[in-house]
Amino acid sequence: MLILVGVMAWDTTVVPIDAGSEVQGDQFHANEEFSRIQRDVEERAIAAPDLASAIAEDQAAAGEEYGVPGDAGPVMPVTFTGVVGEGSSGAYEVDVDGLPEDLTVRLQTGPAINGTDLRDAPGDIEFGQFTNQIEYQDAGSALNEAMKAEVLADIDTSDLTGKTIEVTGVFQLINPNNWLVTPVDMSVQ
């Protein structure tokens, strides 16, 4: 066993996941890549009521028309204005006018941002660009950190309850009645 660990260590290449555009050689530059993803999502974002209506009419067709294929479902770009409700562990429910009563919209504000929705949002960051699954996952985490620094750093996310917010972001369409949105742009009014 000790010999195997030694051989593994000898043959292991560590590739830094840079918080500093794209996959270039062995590095992923999350800050530059986040700026590109942010612009892409803002250009493609659909107003939440229109997106909810399209999903209710035909979830698969809405995913194909507006989303990008993801692991468990398409990653959907969305934009909305709403009033923040109760929150737990940095995820707040948001009341958005024009949405069905049975649709829950939640917004991730950290400190932990879960998932790889930002990495998967443009549809052109692929596993084959990385050495292994760990680096691919690290790229998603690095993008989440870049988003927090760019979008959430100047917002007091500790208590947003009762405030009106404007958000553009993405979510993976797994459950059509429960959206967990990761922002790419957010303002508090």
Side-chain angles (χ1 to χ4, degrees):
M1 178 73 140
L2 188 54
I3 294 170
L4 179 60
V5 172
V7 170
M8 288 173 61
W10 179 268
D11 192 39
T12 301
T13 303
V14 176
V15 179
I17 300 301
D18 213 20
S21 122
E22 58 202 62
V23 177
Q24 294 178 344
D26 288 337
Q27 294 203 352
F28 181 82
H29 303 280
N31 288 340
E32 292 174 31
E33 197 62 23
F34 174 72
S35 293
R36 180 183 73 89
I37 291 167
Q38 183 181 45
R39 286 188 305 274
D40 176 68
V41 170
E42 289 173 340
E43 289 172 6
R44 295 184 304 113
I46 306 301
D50 295 337
L51 187 56
S53 178
I55 291 169
E57 185 176 315
D58 186 337
Q59 183 173 332
E64 286 183 29
E65 183 173 351
Y66 301 115
V68 171
D71 293 338
V75 178
M76 309 294 283
V78 66
T79 188
F80 58 86
T81 299
V83 177
V84 180
E86 294 299 313
S88 175
S89 301
Y92 288 92
E93 287 192 19
V94 183
D95 183 20
V96 180
D97 283 341
L99 294 183
E101 288 293 319
D102 62 344
L103 173 56
T104 300
V105 174
R106 294 178 301 136
L107 176 69
Q108 296 196 82
T109 63
I113 302 296
N114 297 313
T116 58
D117 296 351
L118 294 177
R119 182 197 69 198
D120 299 340
D124 60 1
I125 300 174
E126 300 172 350
F127 175 71
Q129 296 170 292
F130 299 87
T131 303
N132 56 42
Q133 182 65 38
I134 294 170
E135 288 179 10
Y136 188 49
Q137 189 66 31
D138 285 349
S141 296
L143 284 167
N144 290 346
E145 290 300 315
M147 179 279 294
K148 285 172 30 181
E150 178 71 25
V151 175
L152 299 176
D154 295 332
I155 297 173
D156 180 5
T157 60
S158 64
D159 186 17
L160 292 170
T161 303
K163 297 184 175 151
T164 300
I165 58 172
E166 289 184 32
V167 174
T168 300
V170 292
F171 67 95
Q172 191 159 42
L173 180 56
I174 299 168
N175 179 341
N177 294 318
N178 192 349
W179 302 355
L180 178 60
V181 177
T182 303
V184 299
D185 189 39
M186 176 176 165
S187 63
V188 180
Q189 298 176 0

